[in-house]
Amino acid sequence: MSFSLILPMMAFALAASISPGPVNLVCLSSGTRHPIATGLIFVSGATLGFILLFIAIGLGLYSVLSLLPGLNSALKWLGIAFLLYLSFQLFKDNGQLTQEQDSNRPGFMTGAIMQWLNPKAWLASASGIGAYTNNDLQHILLFAAIYLPVCWLSLSCWVYAGAYLRRFMQTPGTLIIINRSLAILLALSTLYLLID
């Protein structure tokens, strides 16, 4: 295995991980609402959830779903419902920065589950595996090992960006505007699932 394969895998992983999507928006929101450590717990769940999805798709999960159209449709509607639920939670937030918001914070399992319901994650996995691995298990595992730190660092950047923005949000009204904007963007991301 040469750098001629590893470097393109790294570039693909970076582009797929750092570009805006539902998980990235939740990372940004978490950074504006919660301590960085809390956001990084979500990031860790999202990263490991994605890696498991990536390996599962590499082992043939995508082919199984194409054979079971009912399961594919159920996954699609479950993803829409979950993203709309997260959008609603973000939209109704009152903008108060308090310590009692542990029940509303996105945690490790939310991050892991969200990746399995995220169309961007499925597309990145399927297209990356198709482009770089030739369905060879060794290449799939190498790509997953490359994706692990790249995905974690990319999602962490969104949490840190949110924490940076928090410094400029001294009033609940400003945070409400940011949260509702992110909630609307997150809800709009479900349109991709509806038109697919």
Side-chain angles (χ1 to χ4, degrees), residues 57-82:
I57 288 175
L59 295 176
L61 178 63
Y62 203 71
S63 300
V64 171
L65 284 179
S66 66
L67 297 174
L68 302 169
L71 184 59
N72 199 17
S73 181
L75 183 64
K76 172 181 161 179
W77 288 107
L78 190 59
I80 289 170
F82 189 68

Side-chain angles (χ1 to χ4, degrees), residues 76-88:
K76 172 181 161 179
W77 288 107
L78 190 59
I80 289 170
F82 189 68
L83 292 175
L84 290 176
Y85 167 77
L86 290 175
S87 299
F88 176 73

